[in-house]
């Protein structure tokens, strides 16, 4: 069980996190917010790389302030840029990382083979890292985070720069790993979470302003998403007035999906919101209701 109790973090005059609290046991949780929302700071505190200025983090009854070394034995972390040695093979790199994590040589070798198998990289294990695709390097990143078979896995913006096929393969891998772990996946790409997560933590300017399931978030946006096909000039005007989640150019004009409280145009029909549109609606409402 992970318990985060009122953690705050300042960098000079900037309040990166402001009294964030939540608790979770297992499964895959999405940590969502725009760039600068505090997601990376939050994960770095959970990974014990940073110390909060206020509050505390508890993992299975152990306070991270006093039992950081014990907690790190059950922790895996994939930062945005985990760093690789391009000339090393995936297998040699993982064995090296295992030693850095404090694993004895024999155990590091055993865990390397286990992790390579978990991320389906056995066939590419002897290839230099510089020859691997972006998706395969991300799988190496997850493998290094799995070397100690962690119960808590923290993953920061893992799909940035991946092509669509690699992105889907990587997200599928995370889904298979969540069965017996707690995984926190940080991203600003809402579509990555549509079919993966059971819970969303929405951060903005250091505030955790919503903690809800995808279903609850989408239900809140029912009746606020509109679809229509219209000429390009009118489409441009509507996009200036309303939040547009999608605009597709067609031979007959432009197919729009707009997020709005009221019907934005006589030709607009209600549409079922996807998760990204539900997030856009919630964020829009929050912005309007803030003092």
């Amino acid at each position: 069980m992970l318990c985060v109790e009122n953690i705050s973090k300042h960098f000079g005059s900037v309040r990166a996190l402001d009294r964030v609290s939540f608790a979770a046991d297992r499964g895959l949780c999405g940590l969502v917010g725009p760039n600068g929302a505090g997601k990376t700071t939050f994960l770095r505190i959970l990974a014990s790389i940073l110390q909060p200025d206020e509050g505390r983090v508890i993992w299975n009854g152990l306070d991270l302030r006093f039992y950081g070394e014990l907690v790190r034995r059950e922790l895996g972390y994939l930062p945005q840029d985990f760093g690789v040695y391009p000339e090393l093979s995936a297998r040699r790199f993982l064995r090296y990382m295992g030693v850095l994590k404090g694993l004895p040589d024999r155990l590091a070798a055993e865990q390397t083979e286990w992790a390579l198998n978990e991320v389906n990289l056995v066939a590419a294990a002897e290839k230099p890292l510089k020859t691997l695709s972006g998706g395969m390097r991300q799988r190496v990143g997850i493998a290094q985070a799995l070397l100690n078979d962690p119960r808590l896995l923290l993953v920061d913006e893992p799909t940035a720069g991946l092509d669509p096929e690699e992105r889907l393969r990587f997200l599928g891998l995370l889904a298979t790993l969540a069965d017996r772990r707690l995984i926190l996946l940080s991203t600003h790409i809402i579509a990555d979470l549509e079919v993966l997560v059971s819970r969303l933590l929405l951060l903005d300017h250091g505030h955790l302003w919503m903690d809800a399931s995808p279903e609850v978030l989408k239900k809140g946006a029912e009746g606020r998403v509109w679809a229509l096909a219209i000429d390009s000039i009118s489409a441009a005007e509507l996009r200036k007035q309303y939040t547009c989640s999608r605009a597709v150019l067609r031979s007959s004009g432009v197919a729009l999906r707009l997020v709005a409280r009221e019907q934005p145009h006589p030709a607009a029909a209600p549409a079922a919101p996807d998760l990204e549109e539900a997030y856009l609606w919630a964020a829009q409402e929050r912005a309007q209701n803030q003092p």
Side-chain angles (χ1 to χ4, degrees):
M1 170 69 76
L2 176 67
C3 296
V4 177
E5 301 177 354
N6 293 309
I7 62 170
S8 296
K9 184 66 179 178
H10 304 79
F11 296 103
S13 61
V14 177
R15 196 174 185 90
L17 292 174
D18 189 6
R19 297 187 299 275
V20 172
S21 296
F22 90 106
D25 187 9
R26 66 173 59 191
L28 207 158
C29 297
L31 183 62
V32 179
N35 291 331
K39 304 186 300 296
T40 294
T41 298
F42 184 61
L43 291 185
R44 286 170 66 85
I45 287 174
L46 297 187
S48 76
I49 295 171
L50 292 176
Q51 292 295 320
D53 297 321
E54 304 166 28
R56 60 180 187 163
V57 178
I58 308 294
W59 171 251
N60 288 336
L62 299 176
D63 190 323
L64 200 59
R65 294 173 298 179
F66 310 115
Y67 298 98
E69 184 176 348
L70 287 176
V71 172
R72 282 190 290 272
R73 294 177 186 174
E74 299 189 3
L75 170 73
Y77 178 44
L78 175 59
Q80 290 186 44
D81 183 6
F82 68 94
V84 297
Y85 296 83
E87 303 299 331
L88 292 183
S89 69
R91 178 172 280 120
R92 287 189 64 192
F93 172 74
L94 291 174
R95 287 187 179 179
Y96 172 65
M97 292 300 296
V99 172
L100 289 184
K101 288 173 180 280
L103 300 179
D105 288 346
R106 181 175 177 179
L107 183 56
E110 292 174 355
Q111 288 299 102
T112 290
E113 299 309 311
W114 170 80
L116 285 168
N117 185 67
E118 284 287 291
V119 302
N120 195 26
L121 272 178
V122 174
E126 290 303 324
K127 293 182 179 180
L129 292 172
K130 66 181 180 181
T131 68
L132 301 183
S133 68
M136 293 177 80
R137 284 196 297 271
Q138 285 293 67
R139 281 191 272 163
V140 173
I142 279 290
Q144 65 82 25
L146 291 175
L147 285 172
N148 55 335
D149 194 15
R151 304 275 72 78
L152 173 61
L153 183 59
L154 311 173
V155 188
D156 194 2
E157 300 284 0
T159 60
L162 300 188
D163 66 38
E165 184 178 354
E166 288 179 327
R167 174 175 151 264
L168 291 174
R169 187 182 296 116
F170 186 79
L171 293 172
L173 169 63
L174 288 182
T176 64
L177 294 173
D179 181 50
R180 54 192 181 91
R181 296 176 175 86
L182 173 60
I183 300 179
L184 266 66
L185 167 62
S186 167
T187 184
H188 63 278
I189 305 173
I190 311 301
D192 283 356
L193 307 175
E194 183 83 41
V195 296
L196 281 181
V197 304
S198 57
R199 185 174 175 184
L200 289 167
L201 307 172
L202 306 187
L203 269 176
D204 188 29
H205 292 93
H207 294 274
L208 180 59
W209 59 275
M210 185 175 289
D211 178 352
S213 68
E215 292 74 22
V216 167
L217 195 65
K218 287 194 282 189
K219 187 173 181 60
E222 289 178 357
R224 310 302 185 188
V225 178
W226 309 85
L228 73 158
I230 201 167
D231 65 272
S232 58
I233 295 176
S234 299
E237 289 301 313
L238 286 171
R239 294 182 70 180
K240 292 178 183 177
Q241 299 175 54
Y242 301 98
T243 300
C244 178
S245 64
R246 204 167 306 154
V248 180
L249 184 63
R250 295 178 177 168
S251 58
S252 58
V254 181
L256 290 181
R257 285 176 70 95
L258 302 172
V259 179
R261 178 174 292 277
E262 305 293 342
Q263 186 183 34
H265 187 275
D274 62 23
L275 189 59
E276 184 171 19
E277 290 162 338
Y279 170 76
L280 288 172
W281 169 251
Q284 180 176 301
E285 282 291 280
R286 178 176 184 268
Q288 291 179 354
N289 292 330
Q290 282 188 318

